[in-house]
Amino acid sequence: MGAAGDMIASSLVDLSDSKVAIVEELNALSLPHTQVFLEEKEQSGIKGTHLKIVIKGEVETPEHHHGHHHGHRNLAEITDIINSLNVSDRVKADVKEIYGIVADAEAKAHGTEVSEVHFHELGMLDAVADITICAYLINKLNPEKITSSPINVGNGTVKCAHGVLPVPAPATANILLGAAYYKSDVQTELCTPTGAAILKYYADAFEEVHSFSSVKKIGIGTGTKQLENANIIRAFLTEDNTVTELSCNIDDMTGEEAAFAAEKMMSEGALDCFITPVIMKKGRPAYMFTVLCRSGETDRFVKLVFKHTSTIGIRKYTPSRYTLERTITENGCTHIKRSEGFGEVKEKIEFEDIKKLAVEKDISVFEARKELSN
């Protein structure tokens, strides 16, 4: 049901198993004149999370993004506010970029320069809060890829400081250039400039997702408008279990060079890399260099293999695989890898801990493993 900044933020909070702790973190971000409260709300019988964002004692509403308010700020002043936030430099950079998208769209809509655009204070503080919370939570999740379904912008008109305008409002339409969106029968604005900017900045693609490899969690963010349909946004946290196998035959690299290339693949995040001795045509001894990577990273690893090996051709396969769920627990200073699934549970001590103890006590790894197991 569209895209509003607070609803996106609410769906991201709902992905967490510790929502109360997350909200405490959000209230420590130094958002000016802002308090964030956690609420459980229902929309059409669907329970979800709603972040009530209170600015100077007023509850955030969509109208804050369009209406008149006392006090105005320009983009330079907003940048100063962002620089004062208690967040990482990475999050600050994201917030500036996203608010810049909003500012550019407003300037284009009004036919003026970005430096000349003045933002109503409450609407600006609402937007900074929404954007900062989303940037903070997405940075915390650190996803490899974000996909958005086409955005439902609603229909009808919206009342703003400059009069009654058609949905999507001019600034929202400018932001959504190049993104997939559509009008529906819902006679209200469903996509705010802030919501549009957040999705435009983070989404790697706007497309209908027909299947997920593995859904880990679903976060539901609820809106405040009571509509005929459930006014919610859902965030699906998925894990891509598909892998790509890249392999090539190499007969003109030394063992040292091939070993360095394999180490480089692993340090870059390959799932596995191994070197197999093979006999090529004319009886030449060679290596088969094989890399396993996540399917979404295939192009990056193709470039890495070409860069760090002498090969001039790479074979690509897409194998299926079964994996057990893996977790690492600590028992004192010992790390235990636990793998579980398909009715099986396997545990073993991390070898680095075994090796460390063996070196410290000048004993064999067999003795070290036995000692750590007791």
Side-chain angles (χ1 to χ4, degrees):
M1 290 297 284
D6 63 322
M7 290 177 66
I8 298 172
S10 299
S11 71
L12 295 172
V13 169
D14 200 49
L15 287 173
S16 173
D17 293 326
S18 306
K19 293 193 278 284
V20 173
I22 289 291
V23 172
E24 289 177 358
E25 291 179 29
L26 300 181
N27 278 310
L29 300 183
S30 300
L31 291 163
H33 312 293
T34 302
Q35 289 180 290
V36 182
F37 298 93
L38 180 69
E39 298 180 328
E40 285 193 349
K41 293 260 186 174
E42 281 195 7
Q43 282 280 352
S44 300
I46 305 298
K47 189 175 77 170
T49 292
H50 177 70
L51 289 183
K52 184 169 78 170
I53 300 176
V54 179
I55 311 286
K56 292 187 173 181
E58 294 190 34
V59 178
E60 178 190 30
T61 65
E63 287 72 25
H64 280 166
H65 297 279
H66 298 295
H68 281 297
H69 301 283
H70 297 294
H72 296 77
R73 301 287 184 98
N74 60 31
L75 189 57
E77 292 174 302
I78 295 168
T79 300
D80 289 339
I81 290 174
I82 296 170
N83 286 332
S84 72
L85 297 174
N86 183 27
V87 295
S88 67
D89 289 341
R90 166 72 183 275
V91 172
K92 288 178 183 177
D94 287 346
V95 177
K96 290 174 188 176
E97 290 282 348
I98 297 169
Y99 207 95
I101 292 172
V102 176
D104 287 339
E106 293 283 0
K108 184 177 179 181
H110 300 302
T112 186
E113 298 296 323
V114 171
S115 59
E116 297 176 7
V117 176
H118 285 76
F119 299 89
H120 303 299
E121 186 175 31
L122 284 183
M124 178 276 295
L125 291 174
D126 284 347
V128 169
D130 289 344
I131 293 168
T132 301
I133 291 170
C134 287
Y136 177 80
L137 295 174
I138 288 175
N139 186 69
K140 197 176 180 77
L141 282 169
N142 193 28
E144 293 179 6
K145 180 181 179 181
I146 298 177
T147 300
S148 170
S149 59
I151 302 171
N152 182 359
V153 298
N155 213 322
T157 59
V158 59
K159 186 178 180 181
C160 67
H162 307 282
V164 177
L165 298 172
V167 170
T172 303
N174 289 337
I175 293 169
L176 292 177
L177 285 172
Y181 69 93
Y182 63 97
K183 284 193 170 187
S184 63
D185 294 332
V186 182
Q187 297 298 305
T188 188
E189 180 189 46
L190 295 179
C191 182
T192 66
T194 303
I198 291 167
L199 291 185
K200 184 69 176 289
Y201 180 73
Y202 281 115
D204 298 293
F206 288 87
E207 59 189 17
E208 293 287 0
V209 180
H210 298 290
S211 64
F212 295 119
S213 296
S214 177
V215 178
K216 296 298 183 183
K217 293 181 181 178
I218 301 174
I220 298 177
T222 63
T224 54
K225 291 182 179 179
Q226 295 298 319
L227 306 173
E228 184 176 346
N229 298 329
N231 187 17
I232 63 173
I233 285 180
R234 292 188 294 176
F236 293 81
L237 184 62
T238 70
E239 182 177 34
D240 186 358
N241 287 326
T242 60
V243 296
T244 297
E245 180 180 310
L246 303 173
S247 67
C248 54
N249 291 1
I250 300 171
D251 64 358
D252 55 354
M253 286 180 68
T254 68
E256 293 170 321
E257 292 166 341
F260 175 82
E263 290 174 7
K264 188 64 177 176
M265 299 302 128
M266 295 304 295
S267 69
E268 288 286 341
L271 299 172
D272 200 359
C273 181
F274 49 93
I275 301 168
T276 309
V278 295
I279 303 297
M280 292 176 57
K281 60 187 178 183
K282 299 181 181 179
R284 293 198 304 268
Y287 309 113
M288 183 166 67
F289 189 88
T290 305
V291 178
L292 287 179
C293 65
R294 294 178 179 84
S295 294
E297 296 187 298
T298 300
D299 290 344
R300 184 168 73 88
F301 276 96
V302 165
K303 292 177 182 178
L304 286 169
V305 173
F306 276 128
K307 179 178 180 179
H308 292 286
T309 73
S310 59
T311 190
I312 58 174
I314 300 172
R315 298 181 296 275
K316 173 185 171 184
Y317 308 95
T318 308
S320 299
R321 66 172 185 159
Y322 298 95
T323 61
L324 301 182
E325 289 288 338
R326 291 164 236 183
T327 56
I328 301 291
T329 59
E330 288 189 39
N331 182 10
C333 296
T334 304
H335 297 83
I336 310 295
K337 180 185 287 185
R338 179 185 175 92
S339 303
E340 187 172 1
F342 300 95
E344 297 293 329
V345 177
K346 302 179 181 182
E347 291 186 343
K348 69 175 184 177
I349 300 169
E350 285 281 54
F351 187 73
E352 289 301 316
D353 292 340
I354 296 172
K355 184 171 73 173
K356 181 181 177 182
L357 183 63
V359 171
E360 287 176 352
K361 293 193 171 185
D362 192 24
I363 58 179
S364 71
V365 292
F366 310 109
E367 294 171 301
R369 179 183 286 110
K370 184 177 181 180
E371 183 173 327
L372 289 173
S373 298
N374 292 334

